[in-house]
Structures are given as C-alpha cells and as structure tokens.
Amino acid sequence: MPAAKNPVDKPMSANKTQNGVQSLEVGLSILDVLIDYNEPMMLKDIAQAIQMHPAKCHRYLVSLIRTDYARKLDDGRYGLGDRVSSLAALSTMGHTGFNSNNILERLTYIANDIRKTTNCAVQIAKWFNEGPIIIQSVEPDSPISIITRIGSRMPLTTSATGQLFASYQPNAVIRPLVDAEWQTNDTALIAEKWQHFEQLQAQIRKQGYATVTGDMLMGINAITIPVILAPHESTEASIKGHSTIEKPPLEYAITVIGTTEQLPMSAKHNVVEQIMAIAQRYQIA
C-alpha cells in the first residue's frame, strides 16, 4: 500500500507565485496512488492512501473513469485506464530510443482493443540483442489476470512470445540464446532439441502465430502474432546522417495471455482471427 498523501500539500513558493486548480490537483493525487500501487485497488484503500472520505474519493474516481484515466473492474476494484497505458507507452518509447512515428501508441491502442474483445491480458514485446523484451502490458477487467512486468525478457523456448521471435530471426542470432536456456553440455541432447525446435519454427512460420499451453505457467495459455510494419515505420538508427543499422527481421509482437477458461486453445483460430482483424484496422499486421 502506498504511503498516505495529503492532496492539498504543495510547496509554499508555488502557493505564493501561482494559482492552480485544487480539484485537479486532488484528482491527480488519486491517480498517483493508482500509478504508485500499480495494481487494482479497493475504494477504501485508495481513500485511506489519499486521506479522504470514500464518498468524496469515489466522485473523483468517476471523473477519472469518464476521461479514461481509470477504470472499474467487475470485482469492484479500481485500476488504471487506457489513457495512462498510452502515456506510459509513449514515455517508454521516448526513453529507449525507439522511432516515435506513433508505432507504440498504435500498438497500445491495438492491445487495449484486444483486451476488451478477449478479456485477457495483452503484452507488447520488442526484439533486442538479448531477446524479446516486454515494453507494454495491459491488464483485463477481470479478477484473474496474468501480468508480465515491463522490461521482462521472455524465454525463447517456453513462451509464445519467444518462440515467435525465434522463428523469424536467423538461427545464428538465436542459437546462442537458446543454448543458454537449455543449460546442458550434452551435444547429442542439444542436437535432438534443435531438431524439434526447428520443426516448431517451421510450423509457426507456416501458420503465422505461436501458441503455448501451460509451457511457462501451469494453466496459462498464450497466443502471439507478429507485427508487420511498413518499411518506413521500422526502427532505423542513422550513422553520421548517411547509413542505417539494418533492422531485425521481426521487431514487434503482440501476445494474448489467459487462463484455460479465458483463452481455450480449442478456440485459438477464432482468437487469432479476432486479433488479426483488430490489428488490420490500425493498418498493422
């Protein structure tokens, strides 16, 4: 639980030199509590953290929900809204050197649409030298959700995200990373594992998506689709204003994660079609 905050406490110099809107500052203080806690909260806990009567706190939360900065879950808890996710995505973009052509912003809107359609958690990953890293995560309006922290590196062999990226990268790039995950010096075993892994890669490339059923977490399923960007939207870094660094074969991917009840593999083809249709509305994938 975040430390209690007084929403009207402001530096004395600011009080003397500037006039502000106190109700706005109170609302932002409530939003700060949700951001700091980073998990859905009950009204009484938010009110306690902000040192405010629950009824008054609720009125501010209603305004935050109307403007999409907060949302109310089915179990009565309050969490961050889509606008905060979009702002966080843009902040991540700016602090990691990504191309700012609205790519991550559009991906975040796609993730939120997918979350609303499937009621599952959705994450966005980007390929780095060390493997796929989660750069955005969207929580569903459900008491049960699977959250992957932003900045987490996904394994190539046991996650749908990793398997998809591994299927679109050169083996020379991914083999050292995969060998490190297997943690064995048995050359015969490694050769056997690679034979199976290459068959999996071919299957993923053929069907255009990757799935796992409890491989990483028992009872948790995941479906990952590649994000295909137009050439001018791909991340490129200029060198002395002349040449560019060659981009990887696949830079971004979107993963839907849920329990076996939320995301049954018997319906995976329908889910993939839904995800693809949403992505295409944003002219991606």
Side-chain angles (χ1 to χ4, degrees):
M1 180 68 63
K5 299 181 180 181
N6 188 333
V8 299
D9 282 347
K10 298 184 290 293
M12 186 63 67
S13 59
N15 290 337
K16 289 182 178 180
T17 59
Q18 296 180 348
N19 292 322
V21 180
Q22 186 174 359
S23 60
L24 176 60
E25 294 171 3
V26 174
L28 291 175
S29 296
I30 294 174
L31 184 60
D32 281 342
V33 171
L34 293 173
I35 292 173
D36 291 343
Y37 197 61
N38 199 30
E39 289 182 8
M41 302 175 66
M42 297 301 295
L43 173 61
K44 63 181 180 65
D45 295 326
I46 301 172
Q48 179 182 349
I50 204 69
Q51 296 181 335
M52 180 183 293
H53 191 279
K56 183 178 180 181
C57 182
H58 178 261
R59 291 196 295 271
Y60 282 98
L61 284 167
V62 169
S63 294
L64 290 171
I65 291 170
R66 286 175 179 169
T67 53
D68 211 16
Y69 284 94
R71 57 192 173 95
K72 188 174 183 179
L73 278 66
D74 293 340
D75 61 1
R77 294 179 300 162
Y78 294 86
L80 296 172
D82 293 345
R83 288 294 298 162
V84 177
S85 298
S86 298
L87 292 171
L90 291 175
S91 176
T92 302
M93 181 83 82
H95 285 85
T96 52
F98 297 157
N99 186 359
S100 59
N101 288 335
N102 294 324
I103 295 173
L104 190 52
E105 182 180 18
R106 283 159 60 194
L107 293 180
T108 301
Y109 279 121
I110 292 172
N112 281 308
D113 273 2
I114 293 172
R115 185 257 299 173
K116 293 173 184 175
T117 301
T118 63
N119 201 28
C120 293
V122 183
Q123 64 188 29
I124 302 168
K126 185 180 188 298
W127 178 264
F128 291 87
N129 289 337
E130 64 270 29
I133 304 293
I134 302 304
I135 59 174
Q136 181 62 293
S137 185
V138 180
E139 182 182 6
D141 294 323
S142 170
I144 301 175
S145 61
I146 302 92
I147 300 299
T148 305
R149 291 186 179 276
I150 294 175
S152 300
R153 188 183 75 83
M154 303 305 292
L156 296 178
T157 57
T158 57
S159 71
T161 303
Q163 289 178 6
L164 182 91
F165 274 108
S167 301
Y168 286 86
Q169 308 295 333
N171 276 353
V173 172
I174 68 165
R175 179 141 194 170
L177 301 174
V178 171
D179 286 345
E181 289 184 17
W182 284 334
Q183 295 182 341
T184 178
N185 294 322
D186 187 330
T187 54
L189 179 60
I190 291 176
E192 181 182 354
K193 282 178 172 286
W194 261 109
Q195 182 179 358
H196 291 301
F197 196 70
E198 287 177 334
Q199 292 173 355
L200 175 64
Q201 289 175 302
Q203 177 185 345
I204 290 172
R205 286 192 294 266
K206 180 179 179 180
Q207 65 190 18
Y209 60 89
T211 64
V212 296
T213 55
D215 293 10
M216 191 169 174
L217 292 172
M218 184 67 68
I220 303 300
N221 296 338
I223 300 174
T224 302
I225 66 166
V227 173
I228 309 301
L229 301 173
H232 68 278
E233 292 182 306
S234 302
T235 302
E236 293 182 345
S238 62
I239 303 175
K240 296 182 181 179
H242 297 290
S243 59
T244 59
I245 297 174
E246 184 179 356
K247 64 182 182 298
L250 180 66
E251 292 185 271
Y252 299 93
I254 296 176
T255 300
V256 182
I257 310 171
T259 64
T260 52
E261 291 78 16
Q262 293 172 322
L263 192 63
M265 284 296 104
S266 59
K268 66 180 180 181
H269 296 298
N270 292 335
V271 174
V272 170
E273 288 180 358
Q274 290 177 331
I275 298 171
M276 293 292 190
I278 292 171
Q280 287 170 359
R281 289 206 300 267
Y282 291 84
Q283 298 180 343
I284 287 178

